Structure formats: structure tokens, C-alpha cells
């Protein structure tokens, strides 16, 4: 009886020691591999090896929590199965050759804090479903071919610290509801086709350090309220249709001496530098 108990205990410990990720998560990773020409990746996967050994995949407590495949020559589209990686916290597929639209199943990645899809060829509208990823702190979609307007749902991602969507084909206006993103530190919408005035409500983003809106079709004036942003050190609004041409601002200190020179044809925002 004692030997039988020891044998059962040994088998239990062994099973626990070699536990694997769930079949649905593994199948999702294999679907990504197959849909993006995995055999031609710079660092490919041995599908016969355990998931823990796959390049760029991080596993904790038998759950896939991170996939980092940037600069890895991924080519193709993202499969719907990506939505089965329900424990994923970070996804970085930057600097690849991915195309097509983002699958709406991405809304299932409720644990995601960082989504980096920059420098690819994604197209179509930015899915409204991204607004369901309430834990997101970093959203980087720049340098793709996204079109359409800025999804209203993104204005509900109140944990965002970085929102980088420059160099796409985004149209429409900057939503005034962006003021709800009170934790935002970096915002880039440069090199799109945005129109309308820069919302004065953005002056409520008290943690904003970098604001890049250059190369759009924005009109009107730079809101005077921006002078009260305590942490703003980088401001770029050039190459728009504003009433004045504003000088790019970049510095290391909060804008203690920021001012608008309205006496000249060129308005200047200056930051005291040590």
C-alpha cells in the first residue's frame, strides 16, 4: 500500500513538473505560425518542442503571457485564433510584413497591457473591439495602412500611457473625449489625414509629456490651455493648416517659460532649458 501511494505521488509530481500550456493556446500559436509563413521566420519554431522553448514566447504558470516576434520576417495575416491567447499580457509583432485587417477576436485578450503592431502593412479600420482591452497601457499601431476614423471606443482605455497611431491614413477629427485618457504620457497622431481643430480638452491630459500632431490637415489655433500642461516637453504640430506655423518644441524640463508670441506671423512655444 505504501509503495502504491509513493508511485501515485511520484506520477503526480512528474505530471505537475511537465505540465503544458492548454491545447487552445498552443493551437493559437500554431495558427499564427502557419498564417505568417513560420518556416521562413528569422527565428522559427520547432513545433515538436515544448511551447516554452519557442522563440519569443514567454510562459508563466502554464499560460502564454507574452509573444514577442518583432523583426522576425512574419508575412501574411493574423488568424482569428489569436483571440484564444486569453492570458496574453504583451504582444509585439513590430517590424514585420503583416497585412490584412486586425481580427475582431483580439477583443478576447482581456489581460493585454501592451499591443505593439507598428511597422507592418495592416489595413482597414482600427477595430472598435480594441476598446474592450481595458488593461491596455501601450497601444502602438504606427506606420501601417490603417484607414477610417479614430475609434470612439479607444477613448475608454483609461489606463493608456502610450497611444501611437502615426503614419497611417486616419481621417476625421480628434475626439474631444480623448480628455478621458488622463494617464496618457505619449500621444502621436502624426502623418495622417486628420481635420478640424485641436481640441482644447486635451489640456486636461496633465501627464502628457509628448504630443505629436504634425503632418495632418488640422485647422485653427493651438489651444492656449496647452501652456498649463505641467509635464509637456515635446510638442510637434507643424505641417498642418493651422492659422499660424508653430515651432517644434523639445526639451528636458517642464514648460516653465512656455509662451505664445502672437505679435509675429510665427507663433512660438518655448521651453526653458538648462
Amino acid at each position: 500500500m505504501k509503495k502504491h501511494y509513493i508511485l501515485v505521488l511520484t506520477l503526480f509530481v512528474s505530471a505537475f513538473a511537465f505540465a503544458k500550456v492548454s491545447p487552445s493556446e498552443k493551437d493559437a500559436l500554431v495558427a499564427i505560425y502557419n498564417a505568417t509563413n513560420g518556416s521562413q521566420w528569422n527565428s522559427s519554431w520547432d513545433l515538436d518542442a515544448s511551447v516554452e522553448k519557442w522563440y519569443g514566447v514567454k510562459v508563466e504558470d502554464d499560460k502564454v503571457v507574452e509573444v514577442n516576434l518583432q523583426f522576425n520576417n512574419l508575412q501574411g495575416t493574423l488568424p482569428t485564433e489569436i483571440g484564444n491567447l486569453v492570458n496574453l499580457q504583451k504582444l509585439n509583432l513590430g517590424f514585420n510584413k503583416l497585412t490584412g485587417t486586425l481580427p475582431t477576436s483580439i477583443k478576447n485578450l482581456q489581460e493585454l497591457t501592451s499591443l505593439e503592431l507598428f511597422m507592418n502593412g495592416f489595413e482597414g479600420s482600427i477595430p472598435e473591439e480594441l476598446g474592450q482591452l481595458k488593461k491596455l497601457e501601450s497601444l502602438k499601431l504606427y506606420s501601417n495602412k490603417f484607414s477610417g476614423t479614430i475609434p470612439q471606443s479607444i477613448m475608454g482605455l483609461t489606463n493608456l500611457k502610450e497611444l501611437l497611431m502615426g503614419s497611417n491614413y486616419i481621417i476625421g477629427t480628434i475626439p474631444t473625449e480623448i480628455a478621458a485618457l488622463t494617464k496618457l504620457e505619449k500621444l502621436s497622431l502624426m502623418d495622417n489625414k486628420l481635420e478640424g481643430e485641436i481640441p482644447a480638452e486635451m489640456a486636461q491630459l496633465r501627464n502628457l509629456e509628448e504630443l505629436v500632431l504634425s503632418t495632418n490637415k488640422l485647422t485653427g489655433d493651438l489651444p492656449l490651455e496647452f501652456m498649463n500642461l505641467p509635464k509637456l516637453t515635446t510638442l510637434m504640430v507643424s505641417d498642418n493648416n493651422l492659422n499660424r506655423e508653430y515651432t517644434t518644441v523639445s526639451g528636458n524640463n517642464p514648460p516653465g517659460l512656455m509662451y505664445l508670441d502672437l505679435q509675429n506671423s510665427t507663433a512660438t512655444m518655448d521651453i526653458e532649458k538648462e
Side-chain angles (χ1 to χ4, degrees):
M1 182 68 180
K2 185 175 181 181
K3 290 182 178 179
H4 177 72
Y5 174 78
I6 293 175
L7 177 61
V8 171
L9 181 61
T10 301
L11 290 174
F12 175 79
V13 172
S14 298
F16 181 81
F18 294 99
K20 300 178 180 180
V21 300
S22 68
S24 63
E25 287 184 297
K26 181 176 181 179
D27 289 346
L29 292 173
V30 172
I32 293 173
Y33 177 91
N34 290 329
T36 60
N37 202 16
S39 63
Q40 299 301 311
W41 290 357
N42 295 333
S43 297
S44 192
W45 290 343
D46 178 359
L47 299 184
D48 293 326
S50 61
V51 173
E52 292 87 347
K53 296 181 180 180
W54 292 1
Y55 172 81
V57 177
K58 183 177 181 180
V59 176
E60 291 181 352
D61 298 326
D62 304 322
K63 300 174 182 178
V64 178
V65 296
E66 183 175 346
V67 174
N68 186 345
L69 296 174
Q70 66 172 336
F71 285 111
N72 205 37
N73 196 37
L74 275 65
Q75 304 179 51
T77 60
L78 289 184
T80 301
E81 289 88 344
I82 195 172
N84 293 331
L85 297 173
V86 294
N87 298 298
L88 205 60
Q89 298 172 15
K90 296 182 179 181
L91 176 62
N92 186 345
L93 303 178
F95 290 103
N96 282 293
K97 302 173 184 177
L98 297 170
T99 57
T101 58
L102 291 186
T104 57
S105 61
I106 204 167
K107 67 183 179 181
N108 298 331
L109 309 184
Q110 295 289 307
E111 299 300 316
L112 212 58
T113 61
S114 179
L115 177 59
E116 302 182 63
L117 303 176
F118 53 88
M119 298 296 294
N120 278 286
F122 289 112
E123 56 191 11
S125 298
I126 298 172
E128 287 281 351
E129 286 80 2
L130 288 182
Q132 299 184 35
L133 306 179
K134 299 300 184 181
K135 293 185 178 182
L136 267 189
E137 297 178 4
S138 180
L139 178 58
K140 300 180 180 180
L141 304 178
Y142 61 86
S143 297
N144 279 284
K145 298 178 181 179
F146 287 116
S147 56
T149 59
I150 299 174
Q152 196 68 30
S153 63
I154 289 182
M155 304 304 110
L157 299 178
T158 54
N159 285 309
L160 273 183
K161 296 180 180 179
E162 296 180 301
L163 178 56
L164 309 181
M165 299 195 296
S167 297
N168 282 288
Y169 300 99
I170 301 173
I171 61 174
T173 60
I174 301 174
T176 58
E177 292 84 356
I178 200 169
L181 305 182
T182 56
K183 295 182 181 179
L184 208 58
E185 298 172 359
K186 298 180 180 180
L187 173 62
S188 175
L189 302 172
M190 69 176 293
D191 192 21
N192 279 291
K193 298 182 179 182
L194 294 169
E195 300 177 331
E197 297 189 355
I198 300 173
E201 288 83 354
M202 294 176 69
Q204 299 176 37
L205 304 177
R206 307 290 289 176
N207 289 303
L208 203 60
E209 299 171 1
E210 298 181 13
L211 176 59
V212 184
L213 304 176
S214 53
T215 317
N216 279 285
K217 300 179 180 179
L218 299 171
T219 55
D221 292 306
L222 193 65
L224 289 172
E225 292 86 347
F226 280 19
M227 289 190 293
N228 298 320
L229 289 172
K231 298 182 180 180
L232 189 65
T233 58
T234 298
L235 175 65
M236 298 175 63
V237 295
S238 59
D239 297 319
N240 278 287
N241 295 325
L242 299 174
N243 293 335
R244 306 174 187 276
E245 187 66 22
Y246 293 89
T247 301
T248 295
V249 170
S250 182
N252 297 319
N253 298 316
L257 293 182
M258 186 183 293
Y259 67 89
L260 287 176
D261 182 6
L262 300 179
Q263 304 302 317
N264 303 320
S265 59
T266 299
T268 303
M269 296 197 86
D270 196 10
I271 292 180
E272 182 180 24
K273 305 179 181 65
E274 291 183 351

